[in-house]
């Protein structure tokens, strides 16, 4: 995406980032780029000599550097922390997906739904009876907000989010496209000839500042709520089973599966494709490496890896040894042969 | 979700559940809760002393117990099977996602589509030419029913279901939000410089009482049909490749991948993240533990685990031993050292 | 799906496929079927004696066979390559999902969007400000094309595709239902008490002839573009993280996860459920077997398997040996016992 922004002069930008500009400070720059980009309107950060070397190859309009790393014959801005300044730059160029103010005339709002005057409701949105949409909420096209849902203050539902009935979304939440909250939990009882559906009469509740990735599914509880605590971030294509509870400020990467009735502790970090079986728990401050499989409770904080999950170093060691099994077998065979000889 | 239902007196509920009420049978209760909940309007079940102990902590309005487990100084209902009674209770409080009767004026129905008079078609639904929607069907907002599709009697399409052309959905099926039936199978031929698409001219056919989870994808066949037999339940985010056939009354958990042209037997139970490679078969009554990978046909009923899939006990044993490889290596080293000594 | 086409006489079809018809060449056939199907209007191919044997069981109206494999008392067409002829037949019966010409009146097109006169825009499509839809493009119902997006010549967006702002889709691309391009990359910084979102200000760029499967998510870059090169085909439910670059003419199967900032080489073939960690690279012409996990750079072309990824033969050998660990342990125990005896 070639962001077409008016941009700033280097002098203006230095001001905005709390630094000092050098070189051609009247030149205009407008977008963040990689250090080695060939973009005279680009701004890159270089926090080390290595970055600076990469930058020497490219033609970036302005470099953001720490004191002591001045790149000589270039245009640059000196700041205390280039990384923090670059982060600030990202905020300066961030541009939300545009949305009309008020309620778009093509939206379908039930007369018994309650929508705050300053909420933004896009075209082709459906909001059902008894739903409550709070102040500053942004609901993009094709979202479905089911009966009795609440969407808390300043939360964002990107295009194509589905909330079944009775879903409670906290404040400052972000739900990405294709996220489905509240589909039936996967519960059936075998009656000897077929599977009888167990009604799923519970809901889903997200606390504040939760982010849910694209095409992620969080099932409604059998009764009570499936729950995600404050500040937890869930990536794309994640499966959260019914009755699950996820602690605060956790991070859950793409394709993770969390089995029904499991509990994830606070500040967990769960790598891609990892899984929790049904009815297991993790402690607080647990880190699961990608594709780890949790089949029993993890009671101690720490890093884990493998299937079944083991302490990380140990799991990694076992995985590496598993790749050496042919060699181990060879050593075993030699021992057997030697012993055979000795035994004669 | 705080279900706000009028509820029942304990006496009324005891009647509905076929039991007998004790204690304050005139008090009102309205929702199922966990045994240890703090909810005077909640109803919990306690089928064992353990549950009863948990219930002692909480303040549930009414407990459902079996004969012989009366909790003394509480309000409770005695029934033969608390679990069956609780299941019945879930049915009593279940509340379908509301939907208008008839065809919503904003729905786009092709003049050559056929919609039963008692079907429910929500806002912003598209039903294309030649599609047939049978009696009692419920189609929620933003569903797309492609040309020549059939949606059988009493089936439900939750918001955002996509049926490409020529998809056949049986009776009493439930398709959750984001389910996509009939996207092209993944077939390409390498012509020496690029991949040529193999046209996918087949369809997808679901028999009766099939459930398909949120954001699950079932691809259309190259020709003929990808097929799911009667009573099979598929969870969220499952991938079913083209030409696959799944037997009746199977259960397939989240994130399972079924490779193209594979066949799943009847009454299979497939755990989360498990996978079948292309062109493999499983027998009837096979159970695959989570993350099992089937790379060759499974010809015998039974439980399997591992990659490649092995009989469950054996696979589990191997997985546990794999975590002990560092220790096994140590034993091997000791043997080598001893033998070295002996050989001198 | 029972394709109801007028079909052809066998004589006509022989002509279309560049072959010669035998038997009842006046009979009508209309759809491709399996060799053993029971369908007098079906056409099957039989490139070997094995296929012919299967065909003997069924009642297919017409067989396509190579010279020298004439099935005697049947109706058939002889062609040089039955497989190529069958492929051509699939093209003959392929029937695109129907779509109105021009812009459907219910579509919501921003006045500052640019839509080619011969593009097809279905009902309930949203196209935002500054978006550009090129000649021959087909956009099905419920698609969202965000601000400043481009959809290149002749590309197809099936129902329910979401393009966030600034997404660039090349020419002759196919995006299946539920594909989400441009959701925020998964970037957060821990500030000691909570996770701060790193703004994701980049975009997603697809080159020409890229196919994206149902419910697949491709995240926008932090800055710059997440990029998929020409001719690459991505299956359903795939996760492509931010800043990823995928080389040309690669094939990526269902449920694959590609971690942030990773690079996939040209002509890679990545099997189902395989994964790349963050910040890793694969060389050109790499094949990853299903569920392989790439945790470090792969610098050599070739086939790989396992977690961590190993050369395919070696990885497979290790996996098979891992299933034999109980037996290896037994052998180890015997050695220990023998040595114990000898040591006495």
């Amino acid at each position: 995406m070639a962001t077409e922004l008016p941009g700033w002069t280097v002098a203006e930008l230095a001001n905005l980032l709390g630094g000092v500009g050098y070189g051609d400070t009247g030149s205009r720059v407008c977008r963040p780029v990689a250090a080695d980009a060939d973009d005279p309107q680009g701004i890159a950060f270089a926090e080390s000599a290595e970055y600076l070397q990469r930058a020497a190859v490219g033609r970036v309009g302005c470099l953001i550097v720490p004191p002591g790393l001045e790149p000589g014959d270039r245009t640059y801005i000196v700041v205390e922390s280039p990384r923090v300044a670059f982060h600030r730059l990202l905020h300066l160029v961030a541009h939300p997906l545009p949305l009309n103010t008020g309620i778009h005339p093509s939206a379908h709002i039930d007369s018994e739904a309650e929508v705050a005057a300053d909420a933004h409701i896009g075209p082709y949105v459906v909001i059902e009876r008894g739903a409550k949409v709070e102040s500053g909420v942004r609901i993009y096209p094709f979202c479905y907000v089911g009966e009795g849902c609440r969407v808390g203050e300043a939360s964002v539902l990107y295009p194509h989010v589905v909330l079944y009935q009775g879903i409670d979304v906290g404040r400052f939440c972000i739900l990405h496209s294709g996220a489905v909250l509240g589909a039936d939990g996967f519960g059936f009882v075998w009656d000897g000839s077929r599977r009888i559906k167990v009604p799923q009469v519970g809901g889903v509740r997200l606390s504040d500042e939760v982010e849910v990735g694209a095409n992620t599914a969080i099932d409604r509880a059998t009764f009570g709520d499936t729950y995600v605590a404050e500040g937890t971030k869930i990536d794309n294509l994640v499966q959260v089973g019914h009755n699950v509870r996820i602690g605060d400020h956790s991070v859950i990467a793409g394709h993770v599966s969390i089995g029904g009735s499991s509990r994830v502790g606070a500040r967990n970090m769960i790598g891609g494709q990892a899984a929790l079986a049904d009815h297991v728990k993790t402690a607080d401050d647990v880190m699961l490496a990608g594709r780890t499989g949790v089949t029993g409770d993890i009671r101690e904080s720490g890093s884990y890896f493998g299937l079944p999950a083991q302490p990380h170093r140990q799991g990694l060691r076992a995985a590496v040894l598993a790749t050496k099994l042919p060699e181990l077998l060879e050593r075993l065979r030699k021992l057997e042969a030697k012993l055979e000889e000795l035994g004669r």
Side-chain angles (χ1 to χ4, degrees), chain A:
Chain A
M1 178 173 64
T3 318
E4 292 310 341
L5 292 164
W8 316 264
T9 65
V10 170
E12 287 165 357
L13 187 60
N15 250 333
L16 288 167
L17 301 180
V20 182
Y22 296 88
D24 181 6
T25 57
S27 62
R28 291 195 83 81
V29 289
C30 67
R31 60 181 150 253
V33 297
D36 57 356
D38 187 18
D39 184 345
Q41 292 193 285
I43 313 140
F45 85 116
E47 57 180 352
S48 67
E50 193 202 328
Y51 273 91
L52 216 54
Q53 215 165 346
R54 267 198 254 162
V57 184
R59 265 190 342 136
V60 168
C62 176
L63 287 169
I64 301 176
V65 298
L69 208 76
E70 289 82 357
D73 188 24
R74 296 283 293 257
T75 297
Y76 58 94
I77 294 171
V78 179
V79 295
E80 266 319 299
S81 163
R83 196 168 277 265
V84 166
F86 197 74
H87 199 146
R88 204 176 292 173
L89 173 67
L90 292 178
H91 275 284
L92 288 175
V93 301
H95 171 65
L97 199 58
L99 187 59
N100 52 273
T101 54
I103 297 175
H104 192 278
S106 72
H108 175 85
I109 319 279
D110 189 274
S111 62
E112 293 175 44
E114 193 183 321
V115 178
D118 64 347
H120 307 240
I121 311 293
Y124 312 124
V125 164
V126 171
I127 301 182
E128 294 284 18
R129 189 170 58 208
K132 193 178 170 204
V133 175
E134 297 183 357
S135 172
V137 164
R138 301 167 69 84
I139 302 187
Y140 287 85
F142 311 119
C143 284
Y144 178 88
V145 177
E147 188 186 29
C149 289
R150 168 203 168 218
V151 181
E153 186 191 340
S155 284
V156 178
L157 274 59
Y158 281 113
H160 286 255
V161 167
V162 175
L163 308 182
Y164 282 57
Q165 72 272 42
I167 308 303
D168 190 307
V169 173
R171 300 174 307 144
F172 309 103
C173 290
I174 299 174
L175 277 61
H176 282 285
S177 293
V180 176
L181 273 63
D184 286 340
F186 199 60
F188 302 93
V189 172
W190 179 249
D191 80 345
S193 66
R194 60 197 199 94
R195 309 200 180 273
I196 309 298
K197 188 174 176 66
V198 177
Q200 305 289 312
V201 308
V204 174
R205 193 154 55 89
L206 306 186
S207 184
D208 298 340
E209 299 187 34
V210 170
E211 185 160 341
V212 177
N215 291 337
T216 278
I218 306 181
D219 280 352
R220 66 194 312 104
T222 309
F223 57 89
D225 284 318
T226 302
Y227 178 64
V228 181
E230 189 180 332
T232 283
K233 315 299 184 186
I234 302 177
D235 200 356
N236 303 334
L237 293 158
V238 169
Q239 155 72 354
V240 179
H242 57 172
N243 316 321
V244 163
R245 298 182 76 83
I246 303 181
D248 57 276
H249 301 99
S250 287
V251 172
I252 298 175
H255 278 139
V256 164
S257 276
I258 304 183
S261 302
S262 284
R263 317 229 146 181
V264 173
R267 296 172 306 279
N268 276 213
M269 300 184 72
I270 307 190
Q273 294 187 345
L276 275 74
D278 296 347
H279 297 279
V280 298
K281 286 183 199 174
T282 64
D284 295 342
D285 301 296
V286 163
M287 186 182 286
L288 302 178
R291 205 174 285 164
T292 294
V294 179
T295 55
D297 291 358
I298 292 188
R299 297 196 178 84
E300 307 264 317
S301 297
S303 292
Y304 294 82
F305 173 61
L307 171 62
Q310 304 144 67
H312 191 265
R313 269 178 76 116
Q314 191 178 319
L316 209 63
R317 179 104 207 286
V320 168
L321 282 179
T323 69
K324 301 207 163 138
L325 276 170
E327 185 200 312
L328 295 188
L329 177 63
E330 201 39 53
R331 282 163 71 177
L332 190 63
R333 275 187 187 140
K334 274 189 191 151
L335 281 178
E336 287 170 338
K338 271 195 194 174
L339 209 54
E340 184 72 15
E341 228 170 80
L342 277 175
R344 260 178 227 155

